[in-house]
Amino acid sequence: MTYRHLSAIFLATTMMAAPSMASAQSRTAAGDAAATIATLQAQITAMQEQLQTVQAQVAAQAAAAKTQGEAIAAVEAKAKDPIKVSWKGAPEISGEDGWKFKVRGRLMYDVATVSSPGGMVDPGLGFSNELRRGRLGVQGSIPGNIGYKAEIDFAGGSAEFTDALIEFGAGDFDITVGQHNNFQSLEELSSSLHTSFIERAAFTDAFGFERRVGASIEYGKGDVLVQAGVFTDNISDLDDENNSYSVDGRVVFMPKVGNTQVHVGGSAHYRDLGDNPSARYRQRPAVHSTDTRFIATPNLPVSSETNFGLEAAAIHGPFHIAAEGSWLKADLMTPGAASPTFFGGYVEAGYFLTGESRGYKGGKFDRVKVKNSFSKGGFGAVSLNARFDYLDLNDAGIVGGQQNAYQASLNWKPTDYVLFGLNYAHIEYDDAAIATPSGSRNYSVDMIGLRSQIDF
C-alpha cells in the first residue's frame, strides 16, 4: 500500500474519532467545574461559620467591655467623694454623709517680768516664764448633724480637759452637752487664740469664769443670737462633791451696718455654790506666769453669785473697738452681813497697720486672716492695741483692792496660725492685798510680757 493510501486512511480515522474526543473533553471540563463549585460552596460555608463564630466572640467581648466600663464608671463615681482632705492648720478629713475629723491643738509660751513696788520681796516678781497653754484634741462630726470636740491641756503639769462636748444641730438651733463655756462675756467666749492681749480682761478671772459641765441651747438666725444653759462644776471638780449649779443666758444683736460689724449684747448668770460655800476673788498683774496677786479679797462664805454683763464692739476695716462691764453680787452666809457687789470692765481699741480686719463670727471675735503671709513672701499682719482695764473688789466692808491698768500690745502674725505678742501694762493699785515694806497699799507696778503662739 502506498504512502498516499496510508495518509488517506489516517485522515479518515482521525475525522471519525474527533467528535468522540470532543465529547470526552466536554464531560471532563464539566466535571471539573462542578468540583470547583462544590469546593467553593464548602469554603463559603466554612467562612460563614467562622464569621458567625467571630461575631459571637465580638458580641461577647462587647458585653464584657460594657460590664467592665459600667464597673469602672461606678468605681469612679464612688471615688469622686469618698474621702476629702483639706488643710485648716492641720488636715481635716471629710467623708460621705457628713463625716468629718480633725486633730487640733495649740502651744502658747509666755515670758514676762513684773516690777517690785517699794522694794517688795516676792518670789512671783521679776522674771517668770511658763507654757501657758499646751493643748491637744480632736473635733469632727458624724451623720445626723452631730458634732463633737475633746481637748486636753497639759500646760499645768497634769492633763485636764478644756472642752469635752457633743453638739446636735437642728436648723437654727444648736444643743450642746458636756464641758463648754458658760455665756458670760464677749472676752471670755472669744478664744485665747484671738484676743488682743496676752491675758483677758481682769474681771473674767477675778469672777471665776470658766468652762463647766452642762447642757445648753443656742438660737442663731440673721443678726440675733440667743444662748442659755444649765451648768454644774468644772469637769476636774466633779469628784469634789461641790454639787454647785448655775444658770446662764446671753443675747447678742450683731448687724452689719455698711462695712461695719456691730456687736451689742448682754448676759445674766446665777450660780449656787452648793456644798462648798466659799469663794475668793482675785487677779494677777496682766500676765499668768506669776502667782502674785496684788488685788484679792479674803476667802468669803459665799452661798451664791448673781452676775450681769453688758458688751459692745465694732469692727470697721482695720480698726476695732470693744467695751464690757460686769457686776457680780456675792451673797454671804454671814448673819447680818451685807452682800458686796464687785465690778470689772474694760475699754479697748486696735488698729491693723497692714490692713487686716479683726475676725468675728457667731457673737465673738475670731481668727484674723493675714493678707500677705510668709508663705506668700509677705511680712504678715501687724496690729497695735490699747486698753484700760478696771477692777473694783471693794464693797460692803470687803476690801479686796482697786485696779486701774493701762495696757498696750503689739501683735505680729506672720501667718494665720502663728502669733508673737509684746505686751506692756502699767497698773495702779489702791487698797492692794499686799503691802510694801513701808506698809503702803497704794502703788503701781509695770509688766512686760511676750507670747509666742502656734495653733492647728
Side-chain angles (χ1 to χ4, degrees):
M1 187 175 291
T2 66
Y3 175 76
R4 182 180 294 175
H5 289 151
L6 290 172
S7 298
I9 293 170
F10 177 77
L11 179 62
T13 302
T14 300
M15 293 178 64
M16 292 176 62
S20 298
M21 292 175 64
S23 176
Q25 290 175 351
S26 298
R27 289 195 298 273
T28 299
D32 292 342
T36 300
I37 292 171
T39 300
L40 291 173
Q41 287 178 341
Q43 291 176 347
I44 291 171
T45 300
M47 291 175 66
Q48 288 176 339
E49 291 176 352
Q50 291 177 355
L51 181 61
Q52 290 175 353
T53 301
V54 170
Q55 288 176 338
Q57 291 175 348
V58 170
Q61 291 176 354
K66 181 180 179 181
T67 302
Q68 185 178 11
E70 291 175 348
I72 293 173
V75 171
E76 290 178 346
K78 188 175 181 180
K80 286 181 180 179
D81 191 22
I83 295 176
K84 293 181 179 179
V85 179
S86 59
W87 194 270
K88 296 181 178 179
E92 182 178 74
I93 303 171
S94 303
E96 295 178 327
D97 303 322
W99 287 97
K100 283 188 178 181
F101 176 82
K102 177 187 175 183
V103 177
R104 57 179 289 133
R106 69 187 67 177
L107 288 172
M108 298 178 177
Y109 187 78
D110 294 347
V111 295
T113 181
V114 179
S115 65
S116 177
M120 183 183 298
V121 178
D122 189 299
L125 302 180
F127 177 78
S128 61
N129 67 104
E130 69 170 344
L131 177 64
R132 179 65 175 93
R133 294 178 179 90
R135 297 181 185 176
L136 186 64
V138 297
Q139 72 177 88
S141 63
I142 64 176
N145 293 324
I146 300 173
Y148 61 89
K149 180 165 67 170
E151 193 171 54
I152 296 176
D153 196 336
F154 300 92
S158 60
E160 293 186 0
F161 274 104
T162 52
D163 288 308
L165 58 89
I166 302 173
E167 296 176 317
F168 305 88
D172 298 326
F173 290 89
D174 285 312
I175 299 172
T176 303
V177 178
Q179 168 139 313
H180 57 293
N181 268 315
N182 303 20
F183 308 117
Q184 297 168 316
S185 160
L186 170 63
E187 181 85 343
E188 181 68 20
L189 291 175
S190 295
S191 170
S192 60
L193 295 169
H194 313 314
T195 55
S196 301
F197 293 82
I198 289 178
E199 294 299 323
R200 294 184 174 95
F203 73 87
T204 61
D205 281 349
F207 294 169
F209 294 170
E210 65 176 350
R211 293 173 175 85
R212 292 190 170 95
V213 176
S216 66
I217 185 168
E218 178 179 301
Y219 170 80
K221 186 173 183 180
D223 299 333
V224 176
L225 176 67
V226 180
Q227 301 165 307
V230 178
F231 299 86
T232 179
D233 298 306
N234 183 277
I235 197 169
S236 62
D237 298 327
L238 293 182
D239 295 333
D240 293 342
E241 299 181 355
N242 288 340
N243 298 321
S244 73
Y245 69 88
S246 65
V247 180
D248 296 88
R250 180 173 180 249
V251 178
V252 175
F253 182 53
M254 45 186 179
K256 195 75 178 287
V257 181
N259 295 324
T260 302
Q261 175 66 61
V262 176
H263 172 104
V264 179
S267 61
H269 163 82
Y270 173 81
R271 183 183 179 212
D272 187 303
L273 273 65
D275 299 332
N276 186 20
S278 176
R280 190 180 188 189
Y281 307 98
R282 55 183 184 166
Q283 178 58 304
R284 295 175 171 90
V287 67
H288 189 270
S289 57
T290 176
D291 285 332
T292 301
R293 277 91 164 183
F294 295 106
I295 181 169
T297 69
N299 283 316
L300 301 175
V302 178
S303 59
S304 63
E305 299 172 336
T306 305
N307 174 256
F308 296 98
L310 295 175
E311 54 196 63
I315 304 170
H316 181 81
F319 179 75
H320 86 271
I321 56 173
E324 290 193 70
S326 184
W327 295 261
L328 183 142
K329 180 183 179 184
D331 296 313
L332 302 184
M333 298 179 62
T334 305
S339 295
T341 297
F342 304 128
F343 174 77
Y346 70 92
V347 178
E348 79 167 54
Y351 185 82
F352 278 91
L353 304 178
T354 46
E356 287 80 3
S357 293
R358 190 169 186 187
Y360 181 87
K361 183 179 179 181
K364 55 189 176 182
F365 290 118
D366 201 56
R367 186 180 302 277
V368 173
K369 303 296 183 181
V370 178
K371 288 186 175 182
N372 297 297
S373 69
F374 268 25
S375 62
K376 298 178 182 178
F379 184 75
V382 178
S383 65
L384 285 171
N385 304 278
R387 167 184 283 180
F388 172 69
D389 189 1
Y390 178 76
L391 181 62
D392 184 358
L393 299 182
N394 289 346
D395 192 53
I398 305 298
V399 180
Q402 294 178 329
Q403 167 191 297
N404 291 274
Y406 304 89
Q407 299 173 266
S409 70
L410 173 65
N411 294 331
W412 174 43
K413 295 194 71 174
T415 75
D416 289 355
Y417 300 93
V418 177
L419 179 142
F420 298 96
L422 178 63
N423 282 208
Y424 169 74
H426 175 77
I427 310 173
E428 297 177 352
Y429 293 102
D430 294 324
D431 299 322
I434 306 174
T436 66
S438 65
S440 174
R441 294 182 182 272
N442 300 327
Y443 48 77
S444 64
V445 301
D446 294 290
M447 186 282 298
I448 300 176
L450 173 67
R451 167 164 294 173
S452 301
Q453 166 184 309
I454 187 171
D455 73 289
F456 53 90

